[in-house]
Amino acid sequence: MKTKTKIPFEERPKGSTCVMWRYSQNPVIGRYHIPTSNSIFNSAVVPFEDGFAGVFRCDNKAVQMNIFAGFSKDGINWEINHDPIQMVPGNTEMIESAYKYDPRVTFIEDRFWVTWCNGYHGPTIGIAYTFDFKTFHQCENAFLPFNRNGVLFPEKINGKYAMLSRPSDNGHTPFGDIYISYSPDMKFWGEHRCVMKVTPFEKSAWQCTKIGAGSVPIKTTEGWLEFYHGVINTCNGFRYSMGAVLLDLENPAKVLHRTQPYLLAPAELYELTGDVPNVIFPCAALSDGEKIAVYYGAADTVVGMAFGYQQEIIDFIKKNSM
Amino acid sequence: MKTKTKIPFEERPKGSTCVMWRYSQNPVIGRYHIPTSNSIFNSAVVPFEDGFAGVFRCDNKAVQMNIFAGFSKDGINWEINHDPIQMVPGNTEMIESAYKYDPRVTFIEDRFWVTWCNGYHGPTIGIAYTFDFKTFHQCENAFLPFNRNGVLFPEKINGKYAMLSRPSDNGHTPFGDIYISYSPDMKFWGEHRCVMKVTPFEKSAWQCTKIGAGSVPIKTTEGWLEFYHGVINTCNGFRYSMGAVLLDLENPAKVLHRTQPYLLAPAELYELTGDVPNVIFPCAALSDGEKIAVYYGAADTVVGMAFGYQQEIIDFIKKNSM
Amino acid sequence: MKTKTKIPFEERPKGSTCVMWRYSQNPVIGRYHIPTSNSIFNSAVVPFEDGFAGVFRCDNKAVQMNIFAGFSKDGINWEINHDPIQMVPGNTEMIESAYKYDPRVTFIEDRFWVTWCNGYHGPTIGIAYTFDFKTFHQCENAFLPFNRNGVLFPEKINGKYAMLSRPSDNGHTPFGDIYISYSPDMKFWGEHRCVMKVTPFEKSAWQCTKIGAGSVPIKTTEGWLEFYHGVINTCNGFRYSMGAVLLDLENPAKVLHRTQPYLLAPAELYELTGDVPNVIFPCAALSDGEKIAVYYGAADTVVGMAFGYQQEIIDFIKKNSM
Amino acid sequence: MKTKTKIPFEERPKGSTCVMWRYSQNPVIGRYHIPTSNSIFNSAVVPFEDGFAGVFRCDNKAVQMNIFAGFSKDGINWEINHDPIQMVPGNTEMIESAYKYDPRVTFIEDRFWVTWCNGYHGPTIGIAYTFDFKTFHQCENAFLPFNRNGVLFPEKINGKYAMLSRPSDNGHTPFGDIYISYSPDMKFWGEHRCVMKVTPFEKSAWQCTKIGAGSVPIKTTEGWLEFYHGVINTCNGFRYSMGAVLLDLENPAKVLHRTQPYLLAPAELYELTGDVPNVIFPCAALSDGEKIAVYYGAADTVVGMAFGYQQEIIDFIKKNSM
Amino acid sequence: MKTKTKIPFEERPKGSTCVMWRYSQNPVIGRYHIPTSNSIFNSAVVPFEDGFAGVFRCDNKAVQMNIFAGFSKDGINWEINHDPIQMVPGNTEMIESAYKYDPRVTFIEDRFWVTWCNGYHGPTIGIAYTFDFKTFHQCENAFLPFNRNGVLFPEKINGKYAMLSRPSDNGHTPFGDIYISYSPDMKFWGEHRCVMKVTPFEKSAWQCTKIGAGSVPIKTTEGWLEFYHGVINTCNGFRYSMGAVLLDLENPAKVLHRTQPYLLAPAELYELTGDVPNVIFPCAALSDGEKIAVYYGAADTVVGMAFGYQQEIIDFIKKNSM
Amino acid sequence: MKTKTKIPFEERPKGSTCVMWRYSQNPVIGRYHIPTSNSIFNSAVVPFEDGFAGVFRCDNKAVQMNIFAGFSKDGINWEINHDPIQMVPGNTEMIESAYKYDPRVTFIEDRFWVTWCNGYHGPTIGIAYTFDFKTFHQCENAFLPFNRNGVLFPEKINGKYAMLSRPSDNGHTPFGDIYISYSPDMKFWGEHRCVMKVTPFEKSAWQCTKIGAGSVPIKTTEGWLEFYHGVINTCNGFRYSMGAVLLDLENPAKVLHRTQPYLLAPAELYELTGDVPNVIFPCAALSDGEKIAVYYGAADTVVGMAFGYQQEIIDFIKKNSM
């Protein structure tokens, strides 16, 4: 999300030639950041007022998954509410929600929209809006189960809301491609199109098992810049890494360029160990048009940040596109 | 579907006390009914002009799945086109369709709507309309993959189209419940609700693995009468049987009564053997308000029929409801 | 079970050289033998008064599994109660029983004991006794879940009750060997020993996946004669056949001789097709010391019978032993 | 195999338009054709002296798999030895053989070569030669495990022996493509090339799970004519059908034409039921240059035959090629 | 186990509000504590003489699993025998034991009883007694395979020995609930009752896959205090955490209160990495009526300790009960 | 490989009694050792000119697997080429290679032979030779897919090249034994024999799931000394350890002695964490006749070294043999 607020940033480490790099103070949010939490990860951040607001996935010590609002002046030091978001009805009566996880947040026109993985007889995409991060209005689920990683575009496209998502199964889905769907009203969804699929193993193995949208797409002159995760199924489990893709501005079902190499893969101890080892899972990106800060869940346990220059990233995607 | 045309029917066999019984001349459509077919099954029939029209699943000898139009004076003797239905664009540009199977047909207001399992990067629900069973206009798929058994209600409910469906996975789905979704325009769908789920093994084992909507619901004074299939996973594979449910007329997400015993289960040789043994899979039901004729696929190979009296069936459902 | 009652029997078909052969009027009990039944199979028979009594597995049309008492003058023509057995407390308060299936019956000292697969948080071995096949007293389950095919010896061995059984899992168990356990009082069980295991694929493939005790053992001068089932896992599912074993009279954990070839394997249409194709599952054997009649479930749908001469069977086992 | 002996044949049934049709007296070899057999299927036949010889897969009643020699004057009425083939050493010391199944036979230069699935720490391809179908000389296995369906070409190609085979796993392999390998001496093999792979589901589903070579290829002016099996994985197990392919005479790794529709798929009761339902598995084809007779295993239980005219089959393949 | 010996303890870390906390010197026993060991974990400790004795699971460098006796003055610094326990016959001839792991120890009346997972054709519960931790008398296995986590109560209940256990399968059991069984004599077992089951995912995900008894229950005025492990199946494997439950003193099959949040979950490096990452597996608890010390296996590699105040723990269970 | 060059070595750490020990500066090659690499592991080293050459598995940041040449003066400090090896045709036209990984290198007679896991419609064994580590000549694949861990002996045996390998499947093979094959010409392979199999769980669990050849065998007076890997399937994935075996000099299909305990198992952080946790995977061993240096991949991420004295290792194998 492009913002006028000064976004959190740290320069590229000396000697590094990587197009993106980790924050030296990672993890920015620890697993016990609030009293009840077992882990805080896969969370979303947006500019809000003179700072930032976020919606955080905090699993409590019963390992119940829920989403919590939080606030920060600088995007790095966060105060997260100790109680999960309590929804009020939005465009429908209240929808069941056995659990909530992996939120994304975007501002469209006059309000903030939150999407998340909502437990309704299995995972699907929950939707809510808020003006103030205090009152959240829960709307109809976008889709039938089973779906995960629903991410809204930050503006209407051809007059309709647009959402990326990944059709899933009801377990640890061992497959998954990214689709786009449209809605005239945030209630009824259709015009579903396949956007991008997993890659052949020999072409780009880190994203050969499943992929899913990560951050809210950033509008650039070269297309929608989307950070996504890709998964390889090793003999010892899934490994989640981060790549990026440029989607056509007019028709975002059309992929312009997509990273063959990853941008970030698990390598630090807080990414290699934790409740689910070897996970980098981006859920938000801030951009001021020049610099970019990505928030990602690490090892399903903590929140990390990574930085880069927007133009360098775009150049990298184009140069390393499949 | 309730009709004024004389529906095909045969009286209950002497000595039988079953609430529904098979046609003595089953199967009514054999596997090689058209020159290219490997099997004809899971097909839908509606009253049309002074007889009946149907949309038939005919797998050819390459075992490509496609749907074919057919016509009959009496609902029993059928002429099925030798070429599959060629679609023209309906409410969108042409949608990909890697395969088409398991059609249902219903008349709403001014036209016939066909739904089927449409191959779009996996199975989902395809939609088309026709006025004459010659020209079919293909519309947007209702949902993201993976979905099967999409069945439209024969009239709008609270001003919206309504569809039953079963979220699935991309293989031989070993789970499955029935949901309802609504659409203002046959293009965008939402307001998804869970209607009915599989039963506990010890309560009704024939429907404990997965269930799926079968026929277009029949409007009765006691609710929408819906014939559905239920599946048990035996040590030698899935066994598909037929039951029925009464759904609330105003809010069809509400189950009024549902059969604990099945109405029909595989027992005849043409149901026990074939391309997929032990399958009874209803896809259409004709009703004149008194009598009912159900068309079902048998062993994924041929089409069979079963009969009953509507009021007896309703009484049976109510008396044997869980 | 050895009996003075004239046991049902039919001579070996002309030209046959098989050691055991099917009854020409098979199946003796059809799937719809009682009004509510979907299938009747895997059932047990014993001499009773001047004829025979039996406990029958009748799955009803909701495919709920339960056991029913039945009576016959000749062991072939049966009257089966239309209502399942209602238990009263035996040596404990009433045990939960989510389902009951695959009964065996034996007479020990002064009463008939029934064992069956009892649904108590998964399958385990239920036990009851009756004096008259009218009142059944349900006792403590023999074992923790998961277990199937519990078969009592017809007399105490070294002063203790003895039971064969097959430890299982909570699904379509793809493994299984036969164990023996002892009890001083039909309440507490111990001294568990492994009796016989599946065979290597290349040695006797029909019994290489799992085996389970079938009939109540028949006491002969050459050992306990036990008919059991063996299973091979083909690419299209499990296939159940029947073999026999001679166990040591004093220490029945010791196998004396065991059939390498099967005695009976699915080959007739009522064994090859049905709710679960390719199943022969013996649950009872009558012996008058000379002739033997075996009752077996066929295709999980009907009951069949097979005959043989006891000494010929014993000779066959010894000659064809592994 | 092209022969001057009058091959068994029966004209196309009246009214049939099929390119290949079944023998009206199928099955030609029943499951109990020899005293010890449980089933006889997947067997190979060649012209021999003034009639025919064959190598037959006869599973005995312990379901041990072995191969037996047999002889026939007319190719239809067979005398099969009651004892399995006893090998003597060929080009090596004796190789272990835990089991033998699915033989093929071909004549090259001066002798008959038998290949089969040989149990050597898992399935691989056994090789033997015979001059008289009395003495068989067992040679080195062609490959490391795991492999099945090894089929020799009836002459050397570019000076080397050539074999089709299907790399497998050690269970009910759920995948499988056809490869070719060459040998200068029937001992060392190399130059492995992939010949043909399974088809996409939507293009030809009957051969989308695995394929394997069937008959010894028949040399025609239009290429090597090879009958093969294709498998689809239905929700109730594998279904095996038969297709054909034309391979380049000079470079048989090159596919010229390949059937999109099947030539024969399970539809008769002896194909639909048996030890493994829904299997048609060709292992041999006789050709006199005009007529063709195919021997196939049905339901892993019996042997069936199918007929056709060679040119019609070739035309069909070319016309219906993918 | 409540003891008069001074139990090992360390005060709650400054700033901590956790009800239980780790020992600052964890792990107390390293993986190479004895010369042959690959790992030492899942071990049991009891007061003995003027200090403590224990039975330790030491896998050797062939990764053979066995149990070893050990002694300590303070419960923290241990001398473990270099040779595994050699059993002598107890209440039966010697039982086979292919392996021994995961011991528990309790004192009842006049002797110490050891239970462990005993390899007898699969895992089941082995039993032995000792008076001196030098001579161990092996008794009959409690149950048929497959079972794990057998834990005795420290006194007879209603005159009978009582044991918690978890019926399992023969692999990495992906399910599991806790049952209780009774024995009059430590030889025959019965009166099996289900005590507690896994929780719904949305209610308490850390214990939604399987649970198993851990420590010997501690008798308190508010019930039997039992520390148990719960498992969640993440996409990268099982994660084992620790909770606690209060069972009814008279009828321990009755759960009074049970923790919805865990008490301890893997978070330290020695818990997150090792032979099996992400495991906390309690096997023993010492109590002096006021303080509690829990011994747990960490990552299937080392032994850790955790502490708490008994009353606080009880209050926590009651306050956070499901 | 025995060499006159001074091999890299470090003395046994003080206090250690282990027969083999790690290099104190491990890992010797980090994951980002060349600019494009994601990880460098499972690599092979040989004496070359006055130092050492190697072939390295470097997965790039698209996680494409390829092999790279590298050079070192001391065997510890390496310069690895930044571009993968480009092959030229060897004894055939160019073979497809979708990927290359896990190389081994050996010198035979006049040249260096490289074997690796080559992607040809699945993994099989690729072969190439080089004289200078600049130009590599790719030869025919040794075997049909699916195979891994092909390791050549450093000299002909009985006049033929000899190769160890492990038949595999096309995924994360959960089984695997070591075979030997021979070739007169490095083109055609045969005379396949099983060398050694996985061990029973209770005998040596670390090698009970699969085993595979590691280093090029070292010729000693007591047999071929081969370092291999063994795998156990824990509930959280595969764990790879290293053992060693002595094979008969004349007939290397004959095992003389084989380690029951492992020589090295994952215990250091760089072995416990990484792209695939808990992996020690030896691919090369240098020997000067007295000292031995083993190169092993750690956690599929980096390269580690371990040292030992040859005679001590041989003594250990013989003393700890199964």
Side-chain angles (χ1 to χ4, degrees), chain A residues 63-85:
Chain A
V63 189
Q64 294 175 299
M65 293 136 196
N66 216 330
I67 56 177
F68 293 64
F71 303 90
S72 172
K73 286 295 172 205
D74 58 7
I76 289 177
N77 296 287
W78 287 90
E79 290 188 12
I80 301 175
N81 293 345
H82 290 193
D83 290 307
I85 291 169

Side-chain angles (χ1 to χ4, degrees), chain D:
Chain D
M1 184 167 200
K2 189 172 167 179
T3 174
K4 288 169 194 167
T5 314
K6 190 174 177 307
I7 70 165
F9 197 73
E10 187 180 61
E11 285 301 329
R12 179 182 277 116
K14 225 171 175 171
S16 168
T17 59
C18 293
V19 67
M20 294 194 73
W21 56 94
R22 290 168 179 83
Y23 181 39
S24 62
Q25 304 302 311
N26 269 356
V28 292
I29 302 176
R31 66 187 307 167
Y32 303 129
H33 193 81
I34 61 171
T36 56
S37 62
N38 164 73
S39 49
I40 306 181
F41 57 109
N42 302 358
S43 299
V45 165
V46 284
F48 176 67
E49 295 177 351
D50 59 344
F52 300 89
V55 178
F56 295 86
R57 171 178 178 177
C58 304
D59 292 2
N60 69 13
K61 288 185 181 67
V63 190
Q64 292 175 300
M65 293 137 196
N66 216 329
I67 55 177
F68 293 64
F71 304 89
S72 172
K73 288 293 172 204
D74 58 8
I76 290 178
N77 296 288
W78 286 89
E79 290 188 12
I80 301 175
N81 293 344
H82 290 195
D83 289 308
I85 292 170
Q86 292 302 319
M87 301 284 179
V88 300
N91 65 9
T92 183
E93 82 257 40
M94 277 309 296
I95 299 290
E96 287 173 52
S97 185
Y99 48 80
K100 298 186 184 76
Y101 63 77
D102 294 357
R104 274 77 165 187
V105 186
T106 189
F107 184 83
I108 310 177
E109 293 177 350
D110 63 348
R111 69 193 75 183
F112 295 93
W113 291 92
V114 187
T115 53
W116 69 90
C117 183
N118 194 40
Y120 180 79
H121 306 277
T124 187
I125 306 304
I127 302 177
Y129 62 86
T130 183
F131 295 95
D132 55 9
F133 287 89
K134 289 178 191 153
T135 305
F136 291 79
H137 304 261
Q138 188 167 354
C139 301
E140 284 285 343
N141 292 327
F143 309 120
L144 285 164
F146 305 95
N147 204 309
R148 291 188 180 96
N149 299 307
V151 177
L152 286 166
F153 281 76
E155 59 184 64
K156 287 187 181 172
I157 295 176
N158 301 318
K160 281 171 276 189
Y161 296 100
M163 189 191 287
L164 301 173
S165 77
R166 191 195 69 199
S168 302
D169 69 12
N170 58 355
H172 297 305
T173 317
F175 60 85
D177 301 321
I178 298 176
Y179 289 72
I180 195 167
S181 305
Y182 293 92
S183 172
D185 53 9
M186 277 285 187
K187 193 166 193 177
F188 298 96
W189 293 83
E191 298 182 326
H192 315 286
R193 293 294 180 278
C194 186
V195 177
M196 53 192 272
K197 308 190 94 166
V198 294
T199 46
F201 173 80
E202 59 271 22
K203 198 169 181 186
S204 184
W206 67 270
Q207 53 185 322
C208 74
T209 298
K210 55 178 173 177
I211 54 174
S215 61
V216 167
I218 297 165
K219 196 173 194 178
T220 77
T221 54
E222 314 219 27
W224 292 105
L225 171 59
E226 164 67 12
F227 294 95
Y228 67 96
H229 67 261
V231 179
I232 180 173
N233 183 19
T234 80
C235 70
N236 282 356
F238 287 155
R239 180 176 179 247
Y240 287 74
S241 305
M242 179 178 82
V245 63
L246 287 166
L247 302 176
D248 187 77
L249 288 177
E250 296 304 309
N251 176 13
K254 186 178 167 195
V255 172
L256 302 177
H257 304 283
R258 173 182 174 188
T259 46
Q260 187 168 13
Y262 58 71
L263 287 171
L264 212 65
E268 297 296 324
L269 197 53
Y270 57 87
E271 296 159 348
L272 298 173
T273 66
D275 284 7
V276 181
N278 289 358
V279 176
I280 282 181
F281 194 93
C283 284
L286 300 172
S287 166
D288 61 8
E290 183 198 356
K291 303 190 223 90
I292 281 184
V294 169
Y295 293 82
Y296 66 92
D300 277 20
T301 305
V302 297
V303 175
M305 294 185 72
F307 305 115
Y309 286 100
Q310 184 166 309
Q311 194 56 49
E312 285 182 16
I313 293 169
I314 290 171
D315 293 346
F316 181 88
I317 299 171
K318 291 166 74 175
K319 191 174 160 194
N320 291 282
S321 186
M322 284 178 289

Side-chain angles (χ1 to χ4, degrees), chain B residues 62-80:
Chain B
V63 189
Q64 294 176 298
M65 294 137 195
N66 216 329
I67 56 176
F68 292 65
F71 303 90
S72 172
K73 287 294 171 204
D74 59 7
I76 290 177
N77 296 287
W78 287 89
E79 290 188 12
I80 300 176

